[in-house]
Amino acid sequence: GEDVEQSLFLSVREGDSSVINCTYTDSSSTYLYWYKQEPGAGLQLLTYIFSNMDMKQDQRLTVLLNKKDKHLSLRIADTQTGDSAIYFCAEPFLGGGNKLTFGTGTQLKVEL
Amino acid sequence: EAGVAQSPRYKIIEKRQSVAFWCNPISGHATLYWYQQILGQGPKLLIQFQNNGVVDDSQLPKDRFSAERLKGVDSTLKIQPAKLEDSAVYLCASSLGTSYTGELFFGEGSRLTVL
């Protein structure tokens, strides 16, 4: 089986930065993804990074990729209460394609 | 553009009963997925369809779970008979194709409670 690991819970104050970490399994993964799940809703793609990149920035989001350690992180700058959700990292199944293996999810709680 | 539609949103049944979930993907999306999300865990792929054919059902417990996508559009996922451990949210997702480039679009899910 493939296990994508994440810490379960993160609590930050509004305005601070949040960093959510993930350890994936397949060093040949071409893309790695971050999905967001708000309460009672399905998952929504937040951002992704191509495996030949070390970093990708998209407005308040920064994705860092360390291929050597198979470590992926998502940094949210100026975290807002609306960012409270569960964040999943995901990698394609061995062999690629759109079949994704999701991590356990990190619940982000933003406090005032 | 309408999103992925799923029904019912909630279902409570007793063990050994049967249940069916329905999914209507985004128009034009050839690939459809069913995921199972147990509370506190990430979604786990059950089955993937490309049009009306099965691409991967290796993680589908075929002794009790079945799924079909007869006309290559809507899909149904059935559980018969249900067990307590089937309590989960069943998420349907769709994408344009099977290559890595497309994102998955998820429905809101169908929450199943087995008593």
Side-chain angles (χ1 to χ4, degrees), chain A residues 60-71:
Chain A
R60 292 190 298 120
L61 306 178
T62 303
V63 179
L64 296 177
L65 175 59
N66 180 331
K67 288 191 68 176
K68 174 177 171 291
D69 295 335
K70 298 181 194 172
H71 186 263

Side-chain angles (χ1 to χ4, degrees), chain A residues 31-88:
Chain A
Y31 277 73
L32 293 153
Y33 304 84
W34 284 103
Y35 277 78
K36 177 182 180 182
Q37 185 177 34
E38 296 183 357
L43 281 72
Q44 182 177 19
L45 180 65
L46 198 58
T47 188
Y48 61 90
I49 187 167
F50 188 46
S51 59
N52 69 352
M53 300 170 67
D54 297 324
M55 185 182 80
K56 178 181 178 182
Q57 188 148 2
D58 183 2
Q59 298 182 356
R60 292 190 298 120
L61 306 178
T62 303
V63 179
L64 296 177
L65 175 59
N66 180 331
K67 288 191 68 176
K68 174 177 171 291
D69 295 335
K70 298 181 194 172
H71 186 263
L72 184 72
S73 68
L74 173 69
R75 178 177 181 268
I76 306 172
D78 187 24
T79 311
Q80 302 297 306
T81 54
D83 295 323
S84 293
I86 301 176
Y87 291 81
F88 294 93

Side-chain angles (χ1 to χ4, degrees), chain A residues 1-6 22-35 43 45 47-49 51 65-67 69-72 88-104, chain B residues 33 35 43-45 59 100 102 104 106:
Chain A
E2 302 166 5
D3 291 324
V4 179
E5 296 184 352
Q6 300 179 237
C22 168
T23 302
Y24 61 96
T25 61
D26 183 9
S27 59
S28 66
S29 290
T30 50
Y31 277 73
L32 293 153
Y33 304 84
W34 284 103
Y35 277 78
L43 281 72
L45 180 65
T47 188
Y48 61 90
I49 187 167
S51 59
L65 175 59
N66 180 331
K67 288 191 68 176
D69 295 335
K70 298 181 194 172
H71 186 263
L72 184 72
F88 294 93
C89 65
E91 64 174 343
F93 273 40
L94 290 174
N98 265 358
K99 290 184 296 184
L100 299 181
T101 297
F102 288 88
T104 49
Chain B
Y33 314 78
Y35 278 85
K44 172 190 157 186
L45 180 68
Q59 300 189 86
Y100 74 90
L104 270 61
F106 283 84

Side-chain angles (χ1 to χ4, degrees), chain B residues 22-87:
Chain B
W22 172 83
C23 172
N24 181 239
I26 292 173
S27 177
H29 281 194
T31 310
L32 185 147
Y33 314 78
W34 283 101
Y35 278 85
Q36 180 193 56
Q37 186 177 20
I38 293 172
L39 186 65
Q41 298 181 18
K44 172 190 157 186
L45 180 68
L46 292 175
I47 189 167
Q48 177 189 4
F49 292 94
Q50 174 74 5
N51 296 310
N52 61 350
V54 175
V55 175
D56 185 350
D57 64 356
S58 59
Q59 300 189 86
L60 188 73
K62 298 180 187 64
D63 58 334
R64 298 182 301 105
F65 286 65
S66 64
E68 59 184 15
R69 193 185 184 198
L70 292 175
K71 297 182 180 179
V73 180
D74 294 4
S75 177
T76 56
L77 175 71
K78 296 180 182 177
I79 308 173
Q80 181 179 12
K83 291 185 174 181
L84 296 177
E85 58 261 37
D86 298 331
S87 294

